[in-house]
Amino acid sequence: MEHRIILAGAGGQGIMLLGKILAEAAMKDNKTVTWLPSYGAEVRGGTANCMVVISEEEIGSPYIDQADSLIIFNQPSFERFGNRLLPGGILLLNASLVEKPAFPKKKIRLIYQPFTDIAMKVGSVKVANIVALGCFLAVVKLVRKETAIEIIRSKAKEVSPQIIELNLKAFEEGFILGQDVK
Amino acid sequence: MKSNNKENCFRKVLMTGNDAIAEGALRAGCRFYAGYPITPQNELTSYMAIHMPEYQGVFIQAESELAAINMVFGASAAGFRAMTSSSSPGISLKQEGISYLAGCELPAVIVNIMRGGPGLGNIAPAQSDYFQATKGGGHGDYHSIVFAPSSVQEAYNLMFAAFYLADKFRTPVMILGDGMLGQMMEPVVLHSAPLEFSENIDKPWALTGCKDRNPNVIRSLYLKEGALEALNERLQKRYQMIEKTQQRFEEDFVNDAQVIVVSYGAMARIVKSVVKKLRQRKLKVGYIRPITLWPFPVKAFNRKKTTVKYLVVEMSYGQMVEDVCLSVPDKKKVYFLGRAGGAIPDTGQITRKIYKLLR
């Protein structure tokens, strides 16, 4: 089964990295995967987004019109991408920065959690993306938890051991959260 | 070669198309790169800036596109495997240099990661430079070999063929991608040069310093009566050889197909997924994906059944469709679907058009 995910937020929230970790983990789990960024005249404080397709077979378009999952980190991104979810899809919303939407017309699954606030409690606002990743992977088992942790480790290794710990803690918080909302 | 590259040997890595083209070029022996920034191919230039020194090659960010292509001219004349890259408006600027490369019978690889046009256009993916790439581009009777990869892996693979064939036929070779292919990441296996493209080609014509031998002269100016015609005849003979031996394409489900969809590059990915879906519904649809745009794979259209309809899908308003018309027995059987300026024909549009043609 092909799973198509649109990830969007403000520049600086780690949306591209979140997509990359997801894509690398999928590759490591021997799936086919594409990652497509928004590129070009991006500005600080504007919206940043990327599209990730994970499949067992050859992938056609890396561009996503209607997604199976949306991961949305701020209000402008919700205005832009909120209507691009397939019926039955998953909407992962950052409650810290996005207003709770009115009951949607389409039948969807809303996961509304304060990723930014949780990240601050864990130790840094910067790991909100990793909290969301943990939560998302607990809900949708797209890649193995161990694989995601392995990729986070290798990415954080480039910075420092403390950063590894911080990110793993963030991932675990998110994962537990995701298991609870199931 | 530095250790981090050795580690990558045969490893599967997640890479953008731009990075994969650069890595493929380095492994194919590219030792000179000159470029000038333009979206959506900037990652290619920056990858070269970072990794070219590991191969003791030369990286230059030139002051303009014109300078870059002429630096490539110089490096190639000196016998080095040389490359430049740009996107549509920048490639237009390079056309004079490409024509000179062809006229001087010099090998070079030019990468065009196409964006919307005409003019400065926008930075979205497009396929509107097909005519420019395949019909010459600059002045004079010449062709470049044109490859159109449709995945990041294929973009990497084709770099070996590109540099080898450029040397073998002493001609410019163009890699024609688009913004989508350049920007997207996919898993790539970083293999070494395939055997068929790893033979070392002598360059007795190169300007290497003429101690103990007669001087070589590289030029495209032929004023003596009949001399320019002789050059052109030599080139045409070479082009005929390339057309005979270098046509490449991929096809599937064509044997019993009533409609065959023709597309290339990133567009072909979307077409392929549509065709596969319709096959599951038992519809007689197939696809042809040209990998070389010049020489155009005429061979792929050589079939006895004359009732087959061809649907050409492009991110342009109809360029490759002209070559398809020239390749089929009856051009009334050729149909077209295209959007450009950053728009891409979507699966719904392609599906509806196929249904209409099957009726």
Side-chain angles (χ1 to χ4, degrees):
Chain A
M1 267 301 283
E2 198 166 276
H3 198 100
R4 305 170 76 79
I5 311 150
I6 299 177
L7 307 97
Q13 282 183 309
I15 293 298
M16 300 309 203
L17 180 63
L18 172 49
K20 275 184 198 170
I21 293 173
L22 204 53
E24 275 195 36
M27 178 178 79
K28 199 118 205 176
D29 275 357
N30 283 322
K31 306 206 173 186
T32 54
V33 61
T34 60
W35 175 92
L36 183 72
S38 57
Y39 60 89
E42 308 300 333
V43 292
R44 188 183 298 253
T47 60
N49 70 79
C50 63
M51 297 173 172
V52 176
V53 183
I54 297 174
S55 179
E56 312 283 339
E57 285 157 42
E58 202 177 349
I59 295 166
S61 178
Y63 184 82
I64 303 171
D65 185 37
Q66 292 289 306
D68 297 296
S69 293
L70 291 181
I71 300 178
I72 306 277
F73 258 68
N74 69 349
Q75 196 68 41
S77 299
F78 182 67
E79 313 295 332
R80 184 165 165 201
F81 292 105
N83 60 356
R84 286 172 67 170
L85 188 62
L86 287 165
I90 293 162
L91 176 58
L92 200 78
L93 271 187
N94 182 12
S96 314
L97 294 168
V98 187
E99 278 174 41
K100 190 162 187 173
F103 197 75
K105 273 176 267 167
K106 285 180 209 165
K107 217 180 148 196
I108 57 148
R109 203 164 149 205
L110 176 66
I111 297 164
Y112 188 68
Q113 296 291 339
F115 300 119
T116 303
D117 292 313
I118 296 168
M120 285 194 280
K121 263 183 231 152
V122 170
S124 167
V125 67
K126 288 181 188 167
V127 292
N129 56 348
I130 305 298
V131 179
L133 176 66
C135 181
F136 182 65
L137 288 182
V139 177
V140 197
K141 293 191 172 58
L142 271 177
V143 297
R144 287 163 57 238
K145 186 185 174 189
E146 297 74 34
T147 316
I149 289 173
E150 192 187 327
I151 302 295
I152 292 170
R153 268 184 190 284
S154 71
K155 292 252 176 225
K157 201 172 71 185
E158 295 160 19
V159 194
S160 74
Q162 290 91 321
I163 293 296
I164 298 180
E165 285 317 303
L166 179 66
N167 279 278
L168 291 184
K169 213 171 131 196
F171 183 83
E172 202 53 48
E173 286 286 328
F175 200 84
I176 292 164
L177 196 68
Q179 282 175 323
D180 289 346
V181 299
K182 264 209 256 186
Chain B
M1 208 190 283
K2 257 199 171 169
S3 60
N4 65 333
N5 274 308
K6 255 185 202 146
E7 265 173 42
N8 283 342
C9 282
F10 302 107
R11 243 185 61 193
K12 201 158 72 169
V13 293
L14 200 64
M15 261 188 165
T16 66
N18 285 332
D19 286 352
I21 287 171
E23 179 65 31
L26 291 170
R27 288 177 187 236
C30 176
R31 292 297 175 265
F32 183 92
Y33 174 93
Y36 186 80
I38 184 169
T39 306
Q41 64 81 54
N42 284 320
E43 295 77 11
L44 204 169
T45 309
S46 86
Y47 195 95
M48 281 295 193
I50 294 165
H51 295 285
M52 183 63 95
E54 294 164 13
Y55 293 82
Q56 282 83 48
V58 175
F59 166 88
I60 299 177
Q61 184 182 313
E63 71 270 30
S64 72
E65 285 86 353
L66 264 71
I69 189 72
N70 285 300
M71 286 172 184
V72 165
F73 182 103
S76 172
F80 290 89
R81 284 191 165 176
M83 176 171 122
T84 185
S85 66
S86 191
S87 179
S88 308
I91 294 291
S92 291
L93 290 166
K94 290 182 200 282
Q95 291 304 330
E96 181 198 45
I98 299 172
S99 170
Y100 276 57
L101 284 162
C104 294
E105 301 169 83
L106 287 175
V109 175
I110 299 117
V111 181
N112 181 2
I113 302 296
M114 289 182 281
R115 59 189 247 178
L120 210 45
N122 63 15
I123 58 169
Q127 296 183 321
S128 303
D129 304 351
Y130 180 94
F131 284 150
Q132 187 196 50
T134 60
K135 312 292 175 191
H139 60 283
D141 278 303
Y142 78 92
H143 282 288
S144 309
I145 297 175
V146 183
F147 286 116
S150 86
S151 70
V152 176
Q153 181 75 63
E154 189 179 37
Y156 173 83
N157 296 351
L158 283 173
M159 295 317 289
F160 297 99
F163 278 96
Y164 176 80
L165 294 176
D167 280 356
K168 181 173 177 187
F169 292 108
R170 295 179 62 181
T171 177
V173 174
M174 184 171 276
I175 304 290
L176 198 64
D178 62 73
M180 189 187 277
L181 185 78
Q183 290 291 325
M184 69 188 278
M185 292 208 297
E186 273 189 308
V188 189
V189 177
L190 299 175
H191 56 75
S192 49
L195 208 59
E196 55 179 323
F197 304 126
S198 49
E199 178 200 340
N200 202 28
I201 293 167
D202 273 347
K203 298 181 176 177
W205 46 263
L207 307 184
T208 53
C210 57
K211 193 166 175 252
D212 302 328
R213 66 161 169 80
N214 291 329
N216 285 335
V217 178
I218 288 177
R219 61 171 177 190
S220 64
L221 179 68
Y222 291 86
L223 293 176
K224 219 174 94 190
E225 204 183 313
L228 186 58
E229 190 182 16
L231 166 75
N232 272 290
E233 280 173 355
R234 190 159 74 238
L235 288 178
Q236 292 305 317
K237 224 168 144 188
R238 202 174 292 162
Y239 296 150
Q240 281 163 17
M241 175 66 90
I242 294 170
E243 282 185 307
K244 221 167 110 188
T245 57
Q246 300 301 326
Q247 294 179 26
R248 280 155 220 249
F249 60 93
E250 179 198 337
E251 60 175 23
D252 208 358
F253 311 114
V254 290
N255 287 339
D256 65 340
Q258 289 165 350
V259 173
I260 296 176
V261 192
V262 190
S263 61
Y264 70 94
M267 192 65 244
R269 303 171 64 100
I270 301 169
V271 163
K272 219 195 270 189
S273 67
V274 170
V275 168
K276 279 183 184 164
K277 205 168 268 174
L278 294 181
R279 270 285 161 179
Q280 284 169 2
R281 294 182 206 158
K282 306 269 185 275
L283 295 175
K284 290 187 171 166
V285 190
Y287 70 84
I288 295 172
R289 177 176 72 87
I291 297 169
T292 50
L293 301 181
W294 195 87
F296 191 72
V298 181
K299 278 183 198 163
F301 299 87
N302 184 9
R303 51 178 50 78
K304 290 190 190 89
K305 211 162 104 189
T306 52
T307 54
V308 179
K309 290 176 180 172
Y310 294 93
L311 172 62
V312 183
V313 184
E314 296 180 60
M315 289 190 260
S316 81
Y317 288 104
Q319 301 195 12
M320 181 177 72
V321 64
E322 293 191 5
D323 281 334
V324 176
C325 283
L326 290 171
S327 307
V328 298
D330 180 5
K331 69 176 182 187
K332 288 198 200 81
K333 294 270 192 284
V334 179
Y335 300 81
F336 178 73
L337 172 68
R339 295 172 71 185
I344 300 170
D346 62 49
T347 52
Q349 286 174 314
I350 302 167
T351 307
R352 283 194 295 279
K353 187 88 179 183
I354 292 172
Y355 267 107
K356 217 168 138 190
L357 292 177
L358 281 170
R359 240 186 272 137

